[in-house]
Amino acid sequence: MASPTYQPRVNTTGNGWRNPPIGGTGGGGRRLSHQPRPEEEQSGPSGPKPRPGFGLRGPRRSPHVLTAESLAALTLPVGDDGVIIGIDPQNQPAVLSLLRPAPLEIALVGSMWMAQVLALRTVATGARVAVETARPPAWAQMAQSAGGGQQCVSVHDVRQIAPQGPSVSSPVLVVRDMGARPPRNQLAPSPWQSVLTVLPFLGPRSPQMLGRADLVGLQRLSPEEAEVVTRIMRLPEQVGAVLPTLSDNAMLWCSREGHQFVMTQPTEAETNLLGGPRRMD
């Protein structure tokens, strides 16, 4: 069976299936649509001309070029990263780096309210929070409200917490809220996993815990407790004298390198969920 044949469609206007010949043969020397006009070539920007067929020509301006001598003038302001825990005496944001590549031990002598504020703000940075506590009902509402419906905060009974599997993409803050004499931590130190131990007041074992902690947070203390902390943390006497006079939302954060007073200002959402600042729960 012979194959059918079709008469070629002739289009002299170039608007159909066939394009007009390129150049002067049958095309009248017409310019290709993607090539610049002669007047554009004369008035175009200096420098190399754009290659035809590779996108739009762009604005008719000279390219933004930075010389090598000007590179040193470029600066990029970068602040500390971490959890904003309040403001310092200069009304500047106070940022606490709670999650690090190395294990971090934190002791907080204060209220559950302060610990829950820190937990909520840690969740806001994209981390997970695991709470080992002797009072799970006190943490249940906060755990359900954190993370916008996602399971970001888990609550565990004492000695019932399992390894959390921290990683650089999923860091973990472990909060231990078990009174003034908490049992030994069952979790092994891990990178990207920080442990925050909450102490309502100083107990018999508290001096040892404060001595080995990498970071210590202090709310208002009694004069006797302030003397103990001043000696353990090697604080200046005038700093230790202020500890019994702190307001409910003021804290002293100290480490082996230094100390800083911070005022924690709760947001409206934090106040609606946790109530106002307080020293004792």
Side-chain angles (χ1 to χ4, degrees), residues 240-264:
V242 178
L243 292 176
T245 66
L246 294 177
S247 60
D248 287 346
N249 61 336
M251 291 194 66
L252 175 68
W253 288 95
C254 49
S255 65
R256 298 177 183 87
E257 288 75 26
H259 60 273
Q260 177 69 67
F261 283 101
V262 175
M263 179 175 292
T264 301

Side-chain angles (χ1 to χ4, degrees), residues 9-21 26-27 30:
R9 298 179 60 184
V10 179
N11 186 355
T12 59
T13 63
N15 294 328
W17 291 92
R18 299 176 62 187
N19 292 324
R30 283 192 291 269

Side-chain angles (χ1 to χ4, degrees), residues 71 74 103 169 177 198 222 255 270 280:
L71 289 176
L74 290 179
S169 59
D177 174 34
V198 183
S222 66
S255 65
E270 292 169 345
M280 298 299 295

Side-chain angles (χ1 to χ4, degrees), residues 42 121 197 222 249:
Q42 297 176 2
R121 298 186 179 187
T197 302
S222 66
N249 61 336

Side-chain angles (χ1 to χ4, degrees), residues 15 20 29 44 61 79 104 134 155 174 180 185 215 221 270:
N15 294 328
R61 301 185 182 92
L104 182 68
V155 181
V174 178
N185 186 15
L215 188 64
L221 303 177
E270 292 169 345

Side-chain angles (χ1 to χ4, degrees), residues 191-221:
W192 299 108
Q193 177 174 281
S194 301
V195 178
L196 172 66
T197 302
V198 183
L199 303 173
F201 53 86
L202 295 184
R205 297 174 53 190
S206 298
Q208 291 80 6
M209 295 183 61
L210 298 182
R212 67 171 181 263
D214 302 300
L215 188 64
V216 175
L218 304 168
Q219 281 189 277
R220 185 173 60 251
L221 303 177

Side-chain angles (χ1 to χ4, degrees), residues 2-79:
S3 301
T5 58
Y6 300 93
Q7 295 293 330
R9 298 179 60 184
V10 179
N11 186 355
T12 59
T13 63
N15 294 328
W17 291 92
R18 299 176 62 187
N19 292 324
I22 299 177
T25 307
R30 283 192 291 269
R31 175 185 59 87
L32 294 179
S33 60
H34 63 271
Q35 290 182 346
R37 298 177 181 276
E39 60 272 17
E40 292 179 346
E41 292 182 348
Q42 297 176 2
S43 60
S46 59
K49 293 182 174 57
R51 298 174 60 188
F54 289 87
L56 301 176
R57 286 174 54 85
R60 304 300 194 268
R61 301 185 182 92
S62 299
H64 298 282
V65 178
L66 185 66
T67 61
E69 292 76 11
S70 303
L71 289 176
L74 290 179
T75 59
L76 180 63
V78 178

